[in-house]
Amino acid sequence: MTPLAWIFAGTLAGAALVVPLGTILYWMRLETSPFAWAGLWEAARTALGAAAVAALTTTVLAFPLAYIGSRYRGRWARVTERAAYLGYATPPLAFALALVFFSSRLPPLYQTLPLLIAAYTLHFVAEAVGPLRSSLNTATPRLEEAARVLGLSAGRTLTRVTLPLIRPGLLVSAAFVFLSVLKELPLTLLLSPIGFETLARNVWTYTEEAQYASAAPYALALAVSGALLTLLILRRDHPRRPGSSAGPADSPEAAHDCPAPSSKPPFCQGAWLDAGPHPHASCCPPGPSASHQTLCTGPSASGGPAVADRTAGELLTLLGPSGCGKTTTLRLIAGLERPDSGTISIGGGT
């Protein structure tokens, strides 16, 4: 980094961190009301609990919206996804007043925790859609198609393939909403139940009365909660260090120690196709058992692999370099595409 970049980063860190924390610590050195310290734990517990519930409900609501936006094309798909931004675009004060007007017609709902959680969810769902949509765009639909070809139902494909792939996006979405709810004030002031005290609300209450020393512990608790959650997110997204362990596919040596494509590797257990000119087409691990064979494929002269006969109950792993025809082979077997020549017979049927 250049000296100018260091100066900019230092100025930004000072304005965003040093000045606010220094101000909080300065006021905490002064005499603080014992009532402020007594209510700190209860306010923190209430705020963290409400933020956790809102983060969960918002992420659950955002997932189908992000899925529709990433997997489907068309006007209605765009309208469905962009509807999530209406609540976020509405100012919180106006949004809260609208819910007050609505809930005042339903006395059992007015100033209740479910109404407050619903307001958090509808207002912050747009924050959760973005990370989820990015994760879904990274998780290609071909993986879901492959799972369906292998016999998984739509529900099991969702739980065993899609959700594990987008887990980072789910966590980031929940974290964004959690932080936003933790410091949200207008919705909390107008919609929270009687006696519902949060960190942000108590900061506002004490500062309104110019009791800055009493507001300092609540402000520090807000800052620490946000910092810890941010550090957890950054730690999870931190790249792997060069010295850490890596799998065979990530090892640089794995790309250079493959046997020559002109000869059949001794560990391919009889299932070997034309590897063609690709230098790494012969890289395939041995099957874990005698009934699990590895089929090494490569771009052949005909443009794709020709799968040999398989016996009933045999497990087969199809491996090969990018572009050799693995996905095309699965789509042909599933009947999603028709072969130009030859036949595919499954269970006696063609």
Side-chain angles (χ1 to χ4, degrees):
M1 294 178 62
T2 63
L4 184 61
W6 280 110
I7 294 174
F8 176 77
T11 304
L12 184 62
L17 298 175
V18 178
V19 173
L21 290 178
T23 304
I24 292 173
L25 294 176
Y26 168 77
W27 284 109
M28 288 186 66
R29 291 177 54 198
L30 305 178
E31 183 178 358
T32 305
S33 170
F35 296 102
W37 286 105
L40 177 62
W41 167 247
E42 183 64 24
R45 186 180 66 84
T46 302
L48 294 175
V53 174
L56 177 62
T57 57
T58 305
T59 305
V60 170
L61 177 62
F63 174 73
L65 299 176
Y67 191 89
I68 292 173
S70 63
R71 293 292 190 264
Y72 299 95
R73 297 293 180 265
R75 183 179 64 179
W76 290 111
R78 292 194 301 268
V79 169
T80 302
E81 183 189 16
R82 292 174 184 176
Y85 295 90
L86 293 176
Y88 195 72
T90 306
L93 185 58
F95 191 73
L97 289 174
L99 290 178
V100 168
F101 176 80
F102 168 75
S103 61
S104 63
R105 269 67 178 168
L106 300 171
L109 187 62
Y110 180 63
Q111 284 192 324
T112 59
L113 185 59
L115 177 64
L116 181 62
I117 296 299
Y120 287 150
T121 301
L122 295 176
H123 184 65
F124 293 113
V125 67
E127 291 188 1
V129 169
L132 281 175
R133 197 178 195 283
S134 299
S135 297
L136 285 167
N137 288 335
T138 304
T140 170
R142 293 296 179 89
L143 298 175
E144 298 172 356
E145 293 177 1
R148 297 302 302 275
V149 167
L150 294 175
L152 292 183
S153 63
R156 296 190 67 189
T157 299
L158 176 66
T159 57
R160 297 185 59 183
V161 178
T162 306
L163 292 181
L165 288 173
I166 65 170
R167 186 182 293 115
L170 290 170
L171 295 177
V172 171
S173 297
F176 281 172
V177 175
F178 186 91
L179 290 175
S180 298
V181 171
L182 204 61
K183 58 185 179 62
E184 175 57 34
L185 185 59
L187 294 176
T188 306
L189 284 176
L190 294 177
L191 300 175
S192 62
I194 298 175
F196 189 84
E197 302 292 337
T198 65
L199 297 174
R201 182 169 184 167
N202 282 352
V203 169
W204 177 82
T205 301
Y206 284 115
T207 54
E208 275 288 295
E209 301 174 0
Q211 298 182 21
Y212 302 114
S214 297
Y218 297 92
L220 182 62
L222 274 176
V224 170
S225 301
L228 290 177
L229 190 57
T230 303
L231 289 176
L232 288 175
I233 296 173
L234 294 177
R235 181 179 178 84
R236 183 176 183 84
D237 293 339
H238 194 276
R240 184 180 294 169
R241 292 195 298 261
S244 62
S245 60
D250 299 330
S251 174
E253 293 80 5
H256 302 287
D257 295 341
C258 301
S262 59
S263 60
K264 170 183 171 182
F267 47 73
C268 271
Q269 300 184 4
W272 172 250
L273 299 182
D274 179 16
H278 196 283
H280 307 315
S282 57
C283 296
C284 64
S289 64
S291 62
H292 187 165
Q293 297 196 7
T294 302
L295 187 64
C296 302
T297 71
S300 63
S302 60
V307 182
D309 292 338
R310 301 289 95 198
T311 60
E314 182 182 16
L315 298 178
L316 179 68
T317 302
L318 187 65
L319 297 179
S322 178
C324 74
K326 302 184 298 297
T327 302
T328 302
T329 301
L330 292 176
R331 292 177 67 86
L332 288 169
I333 295 174
L336 301 177
E337 296 184 13
R338 300 182 65 85
D340 295 334
S341 61
T343 59
I344 300 176
S345 178
I346 301 176
T350 300

